[in-house]
Amino acid sequence: MESLEEIKARVEASVTGAAVEIVPNDAPCQQRSLRVGREKAREVAEFLRDDPRLRLDYASNATGVDWPDTVTKQKVKVKKQINGVEQEVEETLEERKPGCLEAVYHLYSMALKQGPVILRVRTADRMQGVHLPSLTPVWRGAEFQEREIYDLYGIVFDGHPDLRRLLMWEGYRHHPMRKDFVEPDDYEYEPTPHDEVLEKAKAHYPADGGTQGGTA
Amino acid sequence: MSVHSPTVPADTRARLSPRAHDDSGLGNEFLEVSMGPQHPSTHGVFRMDVVLDGERIVKLKPVFGYLHRNHEKIAEATTYLGSMPYTDRLDYFCSITNNWAYALAVEKLAGLNVPERAEYIRIITAELTRLLNHTCLLGFLAQDMGALGTPLMYAFREREKILDLFEALTGARMMCNYMRFGGCRVDLPPGWIEQAARVVDGYPRFLEEFERLLTGNEILMARTQGVGILPAALAVNASITGPMLRASGVDYDLRKTDPYGIYGRFPFRVPLGAQGDVYDRLMIRLLEMGESIKILKQAIQELPGGPIVDPKAKLRAFKPKAGEAYGRIEAPKGELGFYLISDGSANPYRYRVRPPSLINLTILEDMCLGHTIADVVVILGSVDIVLGEVDR
Amino acid sequence: MIDEGLRNELSKQGVVVTGFQDLYNWGRKNSLWPMQFGLACCAIEMIATAMARFDLSRFGSEVFRNSPRQSDLMIVAGTVTKKMAPQVVRLYNQMSEPKYVIAMGACAISGGPFKQGYNVLKGIDRFIPVDVHIPGCPPRPEALLHALITLQEKISKETFTGPGRPRHLDPNAPSEFPIPVCGPDDLTPPSNPEVWRPPTMVRED
C-alpha cells in the first residue's frame, strides 16, 4: 500500500479545501493517522472508498476520544516597573488550551486486502460545537458505532439516518465516557472506605467527610 | 458538566410509529411487538421493536444496552493487566480469543515478542474455542427452530469435553484469563496435550453425526434456505465480518489476509458461501470446524518446547510509551479488535473494543424485511450474537 | 410429630405416614420450575447445569418455563444493569406466589467485578427479596445445584403459621414490589428501602 504521505498528497489534490495532516504515533506498530478537517470529511471519505488504488471499502472501527481542556502553567521572568525601579519578576503564565472531541475511523480494504488507514476528525469544542458530518452514508457499518459515540461522548453526527442513544436509556442526560463525568452516588454501603471510594464519597457528602460511605 | 441530549427526534418517532407504512388507504393498522428483553430465543437481553403487517415484518429496530456494563470506562481506571479478566466477559462463550485480541493489541502498543511455544499454545486454545463456539451456535440455532433441547444436549456434551481441557489448563471453565502480554499465563500440565489430541480425534465423528441430523432434516432445510439473504456488497459496506461475511461469498478471513501469530504456517481453506442465506451460514460454520480440526492436529504435533512468556519483556509496573495501536483477530464471531491509546501511564487513556456482534447487527433489519416473525428468530440465531460483546 | 420407630414399622408394611405440612413442603420444593431468565455469562453455566452432564431436572426443575406466570423460581443469572432493572422487577411481579429468587453470581449479589460501572445495579436485592445467593464468577454448575438444594431445605423448614411461614401465607407481606423508573441520572428510586436495609457502621474515630 502506498505511504501515508502519498495518500495525503492525492487526497489534497482531489478534494479541494480538505485540511489534511499526518498525526504521528510513537508506538512500535507505527500506525499513523490522517487528521481531516470537519468541513470536507465526507468528501475525503468518499474519495478513500472509491479511489481505485485504495478501495477502502471496509470501516472496521469507529470510536470517539475525549481530549479535555488543558491548562499549562509556565514560569516566566518579566521585566516590570515596581516603585520606579525596573526589576525582573517571576510570573506564572497560564496557557489554556481548549479541548475537543474526536472521532477516529479505522479503514481497511476488503477488495485489495490492504490497510489500515486511520482517519481522525475533531470537533470545534466540547460544549456547543460538537457537530461532525456523519460517515454512515459512506460506510453503513459506522451506523451503530456513531450512535454509540453520540450516546457516550455527545458528538452529534449531521446526516446520520437515526441518531438516538444506543446503550443508555432515552432520557438519560449525561455522556458517560467523557473524562469529566461524575458517577452517580449509588455505591452501596462500604464498611471501610478508602482510596478512591472515600474520594468519591467526599464528593457527594462533603459535610461529614464521607465517613458514611454510600447510600444507606 | 453535561450536554443535555435531545429526546428522540420527531421524524424518527413518526417513522417508527405503526401507522407510518400504510399506503393502501384502507386504514390498516400494523401491530407493534416488542420481542424481548426476556425472550426464549433472543440469546440474552436483546430487544427488537418489530412492526408487523399480519405476520410479515415491516420494520425492525434493535434495542440494546440492557447489558451495558461499562467495560471501557472501568478499563480507563484499571491497569492494562487488570483489564484482562474483563475481556473474558465480553464474548463469554469464547474467553480465550478475547484474551488473545487484547494481548495482541498491547503487544503492538508496547512492541513485545511472543515465543514459539506460546504461539502454538495460543493457536491450539483459540481453535478449540472456535470449535466450542460453532458447536454451541448450531445447538442454539436448532433449539430456536423448535428442536427443544436435544441438539443442544449433543452440542453441550462436546463443549464439556473442551471445557475440561480449559479447566485443567487455566483453572476455570469459562473465564480463563489465560493470555498475558508476551505469551501465556501458565504452561501445559502433563498429559494435557494427549487429552487434547484425543478430544480432537473424536470430533469428526460428532461433526458427521450432527451434519447428518441437521442437513437431512426437511424442516431445517425449509426454514433456512432462502431466508435472510445478505448480498455481498451490502455486507462489505456494513462492516460485516466473520462467518456471516464469508457466507455471502466475500473472501476475507483475518487468519489469511492479515495473519497474526503463526497462522501463516498452517495450510487451511476458507469456506465461502454462494447465496448468503441462513443455510449457508450454518454450513460455513460446520466446514470451518473441519478446518479448525486440521489446524489443531498440525499444531498439536508440531508443538515445540521453550518458554511461554517473552523472557525479555519488562512486565512489572507495565507502562507502555505514549502512542496508540489497533490489534484485531479473527474471533469465532467475526473481527474482534482492540484500540488502545496510551499516555505513558499505567492505565490506558482510551480503551475501545470493536465488537463483531454489534456491527453484524447493523443489517438485521435489511435481512428480515418481508419475512415472517418466525424467520426473525432463525435469522437472529444465524447472526451469532452474544450480548456481553454487543453491550460491553 | 410422629415417633420414628412407629413410622419405620408402618413403612415396612407399606403404609406411609406424614404430616400435612411436610407433604405441602415436599410437593413445593421438589417441583421448582425456573424461569428462563439468563442475563449474562452466568446464564451459560445455568444452561450447562440443565444439560446432560449436571442434570438439573433430577432435582425437579424439569422444564425452564418461558413465561413468568408459570414458573416458581427466578434464577437471576448475570449482571443486572439499571436499564434492565425495571424489567426484572416487572417480571418478578408477574410471577405468581409462592415464588423464590436465587441470585446467581457475583454480579447479581452486589454488582460483582463491574461494581464501578455507572449502569450496573449493585445487586438485585436492592429491589426484590432474594432467598439464596451463590458467589462465584461464574459459579460452577455444582454450585448452582448446591444452591437449589439449599433452597429446597429452606422450603422444607417453612411452617403454616408463625414467623416461619412463607410469604404467600402472610397477609401483610407484599407480593409485588414497586418498579423503579430510569431517571435522568440514575434509577428512581435507587433502591427499595423496604427490601434492602444495609447495616450502617459507626466508627469510633
Side-chain angles (χ1 to χ4, degrees):
Chain A
M1 203 180 76
E2 30 183 35
S3 75
L4 217 52
E5 283 81 9
E6 288 167 16
I7 297 178
K8 170 178 179 288
R10 290 204 302 129
V11 166
E12 283 173 335
S14 121
V15 181
T16 48
V20 185
E21 58 183 39
I22 295 186
V23 180
N25 180 11
D26 289 329
C29 62
Q30 284 293 306
Q31 285 173 349
R32 297 180 298 158
S33 12
L34 280 177
R35 183 173 301 139
V36 179
R38 281 192 293 289
E39 295 74 27
K40 296 285 184 176
R42 186 154 329 149
E43 283 85 4
V44 173
E46 280 168 359
F47 169 76
L48 290 173
R49 185 191 62 181
D50 299 328
D51 177 62
R53 291 222 301 261
L54 289 173
R55 293 284 300 276
L56 295 167
D57 49 6
Y58 167 49
S60 167
N61 178 27
T63 181
V65 190
D66 185 15
W67 302 105
D69 307 334
T70 46
V71 176
T72 43
K73 295 200 169 97
Q74 243 189 347
K75 282 201 166 53
V76 168
K77 283 198 164 58
V78 168
K79 285 197 165 66
K80 256 185 150 173
Q81 288 272 354
I82 302 177
N83 297 336
V85 180
E86 213 174 273
Q87 285 182 357
E88 253 193 30
V89 176
E90 234 185 46
E91 271 188 358
T92 42
L93 271 182
E94 260 191 23
E95 195 190 306
R96 183 170 278 271
K97 260 174 60 178
C100 64
L101 300 163
E102 191 173 36
V104 183
Y105 297 85
H106 286 81
L107 308 167
Y108 288 82
S109 170
M110 278 196 192
L112 301 177
K113 312 266 191 299
Q114 61 184 6
V117 170
I118 307 176
L119 206 63
R120 302 179 102 98
V121 197
R122 283 198 162 173
T123 61
D125 60 48
R126 290 170 84 241
M127 286 296 111
Q128 300 306 322
V130 289
H131 289 255
L132 283 184
S134 164
L135 298 188
T136 303
V138 182
W139 294 291
R140 177 95 186 270
E143 182 182 341
F144 281 172
Q145 302 186 75
E146 285 183 350
R147 268 178 71 181
E148 186 190 332
I149 300 175
Y150 164 66
D151 185 4
L152 298 179
Y153 282 94
I155 301 180
V156 178
F157 287 96
D158 300 321
H160 192 280
D162 183 13
L163 194 67
R164 289 177 290 154
R165 282 194 177 264
L166 189 81
L167 295 173
M168 300 305 289
W169 58 86
E170 191 190 320
Y172 192 66
R173 65 176 170 186
H174 301 281
H175 294 287
M177 281 295 286
R178 291 197 176 195
K179 296 279 177 188
D180 53 2
F181 172 67
V182 174
E183 286 171 8
D185 171 38
D186 66 346
Y187 249 76
E188 69 176 26
Y189 127 90
E190 184 80 30
T192 50
H194 57 281
D195 294 346
E196 301 142 358
V197 179
L198 197 57
E199 292 301 315
K200 278 188 207 169
K202 279 192 189 137
H204 288 284
Y205 299 105
D208 57 28
T211 45
Q212 281 302 312
T215 50
Chain B
M1 272 193 268
S2 66
V3 175
H4 282 256
S5 57
T7 50
V8 177
D11 58 341
T12 306
R13 240 188 240 291
R15 267 185 293 124
L16 290 177
S17 93
R19 283 190 177 275
H21 295 267
D22 182 18
D23 305 327
S24 66
L26 287 174
N28 283 333
E29 191 165 306
F30 296 97
L31 185 64
E32 188 171 339
V33 175
S34 159
M35 282 178 72
Q38 189 259 347
H39 193 273
S41 61
T42 52
H43 297 267
V45 281
F46 176 62
R47 189 176 122 210
M48 292 184 278
D49 281 334
V50 178
V51 176
L52 296 171
D53 172 18
E55 275 232 9
R56 302 260 147 205
I57 307 279
V58 165
K59 195 156 195 72
L60 188 150
K61 285 287 173 216
V63 182
F64 351 90
Y66 291 100
L67 199 58
H68 180 48
R69 296 185 280 197
N70 327 131
H71 177 204
E72 297 182 357
K73 188 91 186 173
I74 293 175
E76 287 179 9
T78 323
T79 57
Y80 285 90
L81 190 58
S83 293
M84 185 65 92
Y86 287 97
T87 60
D88 283 331
R89 284 133 178 104
L90 279 173
D91 173 1
Y92 34 80
F93 267 104
C94 328
S95 69
I96 288 197
T97 42
N98 300 345
N99 290 344
W100 193 357
Y102 181 51
L104 194 76
V106 175
E107 283 156 15
K108 275 195 175 162
L109 184 67
L112 300 169
N113 296 321
V114 183
E116 281 275 303
R117 185 172 167 86
E119 292 278 21
Y120 272 93
I121 297 179
R122 280 182 171 185
I123 288 198
I124 292 174
T125 44
E127 294 302 319
L128 280 172
T129 312
R130 197 180 307 270
L131 283 179
L132 202 158
N133 178 322
H134 289 337
T135 310
C136 289
L137 174 85
L138 294 176
F140 279 121
L141 192 58
Q143 176 164 6
D144 285 344
M145 284 196 257
L148 290 170
T150 311
L152 196 60
M153 297 260 181
Y154 280 68
F156 267 70
R157 180 190 73 191
E158 301 305 315
R159 178 174 181 256
E160 292 289 337
K161 293 182 190 156
I162 299 181
L163 286 186
D164 278 343
L165 283 174
F166 284 162
E167 192 179 359
L169 177 62
T170 68
R173 283 157 53 96
M174 274 170 65
M175 308 305 173
C176 299
N177 187 13
Y178 184 57
M179 304 288 171
R180 290 288 179 263
F181 312 134
C184 303
R185 168 161 58 106
V186 75
D187 207 343
L188 305 178
W192 193 89
I193 204 76
E194 288 82 18
Q195 192 183 349
R198 272 201 298 277
V199 169
V200 171
D201 287 336
Y203 230 85
R205 209 184 109 221
F206 160 72
L207 280 183
E208 265 174 67
E209 180 184 48
F210 219 74
E211 190 172 343
R212 233 185 15 242
L213 273 175
L214 294 182
T215 54
N217 188 317
E218 204 181 307
I219 298 179
L220 193 131
M221 307 286 268
R223 283 195 74 172
T224 58
Q225 283 178 333
V227 170
I229 295 185
L230 179 63
L234 179 60
V236 171
N237 192 242
S239 306
I240 309 293
T241 48
M244 256 186 87
L245 176 71
R246 294 193 280 278
S248 297
V250 180
D251 182 9
Y252 195 74
D253 183 333
L254 280 177
R255 296 175 289 170
K256 286 267 186 206
T257 47
D258 200 359
Y260 52 97
I262 45 168
Y263 269 111
R265 296 189 208 170
F266 293 88
F268 63 97
R269 292 179 304 176
V270 175
L272 293 177
Q275 270 197 304
D277 56 6
V278 172
Y279 183 71
D280 276 349
R281 289 176 214 140
L282 259 182
M283 293 310 294
I284 292 272
R285 289 188 169 104
L286 269 173
L287 294 171
E288 275 191 10
M289 281 204 268
E291 301 299 322
S292 288
I293 292 176
K294 274 204 313 226
I295 299 178
L296 274 168
K297 285 193 170 137
Q298 185 186 342
I300 288 176
Q301 237 185 341
E302 290 179 6
L303 182 68
I308 50 160
V309 181
D310 184 18
K312 292 206 208 59
K314 179 179 162 308
L315 292 171
R316 286 232 162 239
F318 182 62
K319 283 192 190 147
K321 260 182 14 183
E324 60 176 53
Y326 180 60
R328 53 188 198 146
I329 65 159
E330 179 77 25
K333 303 219 156 48
E335 173 187 316
L336 175 64
F338 278 81
Y339 175 56
L340 294 166
I341 301 185
S342 156
D343 58 354
S345 72
N347 299 355
Y349 183 82
R350 171 76 173 114
Y351 170 106
R352 149 89 181 168
V353 181
R354 187 257 185 219
S357 304
L358 175 70
I359 296 170
N360 286 357
L361 282 176
T362 310
I363 34 80
L364 184 66
E365 185 180 4
D366 298 66
M367 284 197 294
C368 289
L369 286 178
H371 289 297
T372 62
I373 212 170
D375 293 331
V376 169
V377 168
V378 170
I379 295 173
L380 183 66
S382 76
V383 174
D384 194 4
I385 61 168
V386 156
L387 264 299
E389 204 171 50
V390 168
D391 289 338
R392 280 151 290 136
Chain C
M1 273 210 290
I2 188 166
D3 177 39
E4 279 303 310
L6 182 59
R7 195 206 290 259
N8 287 338
E9 277 300 316
L10 285 170
S11 70
K12 281 186 199 138
Q13 302 299 319
V15 178
V16 173
V17 183
T18 181
F20 201 32
Q21 188 166 291
D22 287 335
L23 184 66
Y24 183 66
N25 287 345
W26 172 84
R28 286 192 303 130
K29 75 179 185 181
N30 281 347
S31 69
L32 283 167
W33 283 0
M35 183 166 69
Q36 194 177 25
F37 189 52
L39 292 166
C41 348
C42 284
I44 311 299
E45 289 293 52
M46 188 170 70
I47 297 174
T49 314
M51 289 290 121
R53 190 176 179 185
F54 309 96
D55 195 6
L56 191 62
S57 62
R58 19 178 196 154
F59 296 98
S61 307
E62 172 66 45
V63 277
F64 274 67
R65 306 308 299 173
N66 298 331
S67 160
R69 306 261 183 218
Q70 298 165 359
S71 52
D72 309 304
L73 172 65
M74 181 158 96
I75 306 180
V76 182
T79 320
V80 187
T81 56
K82 292 182 186 169
K83 193 169 177 181
M84 187 68 194
Q87 330 297 353
V88 176
V89 181
R90 194 171 284 138
L91 284 166
Y92 181 75
N93 289 347
Q94 286 176 353
M95 283 166 72
S96 41
E97 289 283 3
K99 53 190 175 183
Y100 300 94
V101 175
I102 293 183
M104 178 176 178
C107 291
I109 297 177
S110 71
F114 300 99
K115 191 144 172 202
Q116 296 165 278
Y118 47 84
N119 191 26
V120 172
L121 185 68
K122 321 285 193 278
I124 188 61
D125 54 359
R126 285 191 175 207
F127 287 106
I128 55 180
V130 172
D131 295 295
V132 181
H133 304 259
I134 317 178
C137 188
R140 284 190 63 106
E142 287 97 335
L144 180 57
L145 293 175
H146 179 63
L148 194 64
I149 296 172
T150 311
L151 183 62
Q152 287 179 344
E153 284 169 14
K154 182 176 174 179
I155 296 176
S156 68
K157 292 200 191 75
E158 286 175 347
T159 56
F160 281 139
T161 54
R165 61 194 160 159
R167 217 174 37 241
H168 65 284
L169 293 176
D170 182 355
N172 298 327
S175 135
E176 298 194 350
F177 293 90
I179 301 174
V181 171
C182 288
D185 303 312
D186 194 358
L187 283 174
T188 336
S191 66
N192 185 349
E194 273 150 51
V195 176
W196 190 62
R197 284 181 221 97
T200 47
M201 224 172 91
V202 182
R203 289 201 296 280
E204 292 92 34
D205 56 46

